[in-house]
Amino acid sequence: MRTLTTCPPYVGTRLKQLLATALMAATLGACMSSPSPGTGKNDPLPVKSRQEALGWAKQLAEHLAQDAGIRINDEPADPVFSSCTGKNGETAPDDRYILIYGVHSNVPNAQHDDVVRKVRDRLTGEGLKITEYQESRGAAPDSTVSARHPDSRYVVDVASTAGDDRMVLSVTTPCLMPPSASSAPSP
């Protein structure tokens, strides 16, 4: 898949913005299964391999960074796969999992508020519900935006981190079922 950074030089800025919006809408809508109306908590989980989930989360983080005008650092990403845990601490033996994918970006402290505004506006425009939003108060950067997709239930967070000139972008998937376990009986 081509990214917007490889568009030919003759492609105008407005066209690049339109392509980015279309690509993000297609990426967000197609990568996570959406429940149909009337579905319940006991319906089958979306099926996605760990590698597919990791690739999707990486692509989403890259597009958010691009939209916010920041660059993801070259340091390794911080993907964490964990078992799905029920409300009462229960787990299932079928390898269902959640992915939390985090990357960092060096962003001057004075730009943190601008970054979270851009991300908030992009996510709101894509239909995500903002669950937390805060701009910095005082000298220390303390900006954050969190949003949840209403159907697919994935979560996006962008926030100032400890230390100067740094932000974290993270994506958390809902509980997913690996393809090999998808035919296993539900507990």
Side-chain angles (χ1 to χ4, degrees):
M1 173 184 278
R2 285 181 50 168
T3 62
L4 296 177
T5 56
T6 61
C7 287
Y10 58 83
V11 176
T13 302
R14 182 66 181 139
L15 181 56
K16 285 182 186 178
Q17 290 172 337
L18 291 172
L19 289 171
T21 300
L23 180 61
M24 189 164 183
T27 299
L28 296 178
C31 290
M32 301 301 291
S33 300
S34 298
S36 55
T39 59
K41 65 180 179 180
N42 294 323
D43 288 342
L45 296 173
V47 176
K48 187 172 291 298
S49 74
R50 288 177 183 236
Q51 193 60 40
E52 289 172 319
L54 187 59
W56 172 81
K58 179 181 181 203
Q59 185 178 25
L60 179 55
E62 289 170 353
H63 285 294
L64 287 173
Q66 185 176 22
D67 286 344
I70 60 176
R71 189 179 141 297
I72 294 173
N73 293 354
D74 291 331
E75 64 197 67
D78 186 19
V80 175
F81 289 95
S82 62
S83 297
C84 297
T85 305
K87 186 168 67 171
N88 298 315
E90 67 275 11
T91 59
D94 57 8
D95 296 326
R96 57 185 73 189
Y97 68 92
I98 292 173
L99 167 63
I100 302 171
Y101 177 82
V103 291
H104 290 92
S105 179
N106 291 334
V107 179
N109 290 343
Q111 294 177 10
H112 286 210
D113 289 348
D114 186 47
V115 168
V116 296
R117 278 186 219 116
K118 287 178 182 176
V119 170
R120 176 197 62 196
D121 293 348
R122 166 56 89 190
L123 295 174
T124 301
E126 296 299 330
L128 279 78
K129 180 181 178 197
I130 303 302
T131 57
E132 181 180 357
Y133 181 80
Q134 174 180 305
E135 293 187 15
S136 298
R137 296 181 184 114
D142 190 22
S143 304
T144 188
V145 60
S146 296
R148 181 180 176 108
H149 191 276
D151 295 328
S152 301
R153 299 181 327 260
Y154 66 86
V155 176
V156 176
D157 295 294
V158 177
S160 303
T161 62
D164 285 336
D165 301 326
R166 226 162 134 78
M167 295 190 84
V168 65
L169 292 84
S170 70
V171 177
T172 304
T173 68
C175 192
L176 300 171
M177 183 70 73
S180 61
S182 62
S183 59
S186 297

